[in-house]
Amino acid sequence: MYQRRIVVASSVGLHARPAGLVAQAAAAQPAKVRIAKVSGGAAGDPVDAGSVLSLMTLGAAHGDEVELSADGDQARESVDVLVDLIAKDLDA
């Protein structure tokens, strides 16, 4: 399993437009990526990063830390694409 943590850069967090962009990018990846909100240093229950509704239910706001993970072939590449995306302000 490959995992990375990143701080959400979008001013509205992973809500609406940013969640749609992340879900679309996740769905295009060869490995299935999961995402969890980090609270108190521990990652919560992961959800499918390719689901807009799941992303929005995380409640990840601007400045919150999230953990992305994937298994199998191309897990690293799939996670890294989403990390790079979440590191940008997608609502700008």
Side-chain angles (χ1 to χ4, degrees), residues 46 54 58 63 86:
S54 293
L58 281 178
I86 293 170

Side-chain angles (χ1 to χ4, degrees), residues 37-63:
K37 184 175 174 181
V38 176
S39 181
D45 293 331
V47 299
D48 180 3
S51 166
V52 175
L53 290 176
S54 293
L55 287 171
M56 291 174 60
T57 62
L58 281 178
H62 171 77

Side-chain angles (χ1 to χ4, degrees), residues 15-80:
H15 187 70
R17 183 173 183 272
L21 294 172
V22 170
Q24 184 178 23
Q29 298 310 306
K32 182 175 180 175
V33 180
R34 312 261 309 151
I35 184 170
K37 184 175 174 181
V38 176
S39 181
D45 293 331
V47 299
D48 180 3
S51 166
V52 175
L53 290 176
S54 293
L55 287 171
M56 291 174 60
T57 62
L58 281 178
H62 171 77
D64 285 346
E65 188 176 32
V66 293
E67 181 177 274
L68 292 101
S69 61
D71 289 316
D73 293 340
Q74 298 179 309
R76 178 181 295 267
E77 293 85 356
S78 297
V79 167
D80 289 347

